[in-house]
């Protein structure tokens, strides 16, 4: 069962925009960091953008200045605003969160792995 839920995927024309949303529970949302991945058909999954709990974000070169990741703490939702979309952005987009461990019911440390995943949302950009 997916612990994160993505939405917002659609089919758009070259140059169009979409905003993806990723909603999860309070105990997962951005506790240790979250990210957006994508997987084009027949290719490997790649990290597109990540954000740490302090708000520091990063992007792969191909989406810099076109994509923007932002969290909404009040809604436990992570957004990915995608502008000037290109056909090569076509992929299934996944939201993920870094896992953590508890000790005696209390947060102890973050792992370095994305342990929570959504089921993905399809983005198709046509020329």
């Amino acid at each position: 069962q997916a612990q994160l839920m993505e939405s917002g995927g659609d089919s758009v024309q070259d140059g169009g925009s979409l905003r993806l949303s990723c909603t999860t529970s309070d105990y997962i949302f951005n506790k240790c960091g979250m990210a957006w991945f994508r997987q084009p058909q027949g290719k490997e999954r790649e990290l597109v953008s990540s954000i740490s709990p302090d708000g520091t974000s990063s992007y792969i070169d191909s989406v810099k200045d076109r994509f923007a990741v932002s969290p909404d703490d009040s809604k436990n939702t992570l957004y990915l605003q995608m502008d000037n979309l290109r056909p090569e952005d076509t992929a299934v987009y996944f939201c993920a969160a870094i896992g953590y461990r508890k000790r005696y019911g209390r947060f102890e440390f973050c792992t370095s792995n994305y342990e929570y995943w959504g089921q993905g949302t399809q983005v198709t950009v046509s020329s």
Side-chain angles (χ1 to χ4, degrees), residues 54-72:
D54 68 1
T56 302
S57 60
S58 65
Y59 304 88
I60 55 173
D61 288 343
S62 62
V63 307
K64 281 180 181 176
D65 300 323
R66 299 190 298 123
F67 289 12
V69 62
S70 61
D72 185 334

Side-chain angles (χ1 to χ4, degrees), residues 8 86 89 92 117 119 126:
R86 304 167 181 169
D89 295 318
V92 178
W117 290 87
Q119 292 184 327
S126 56

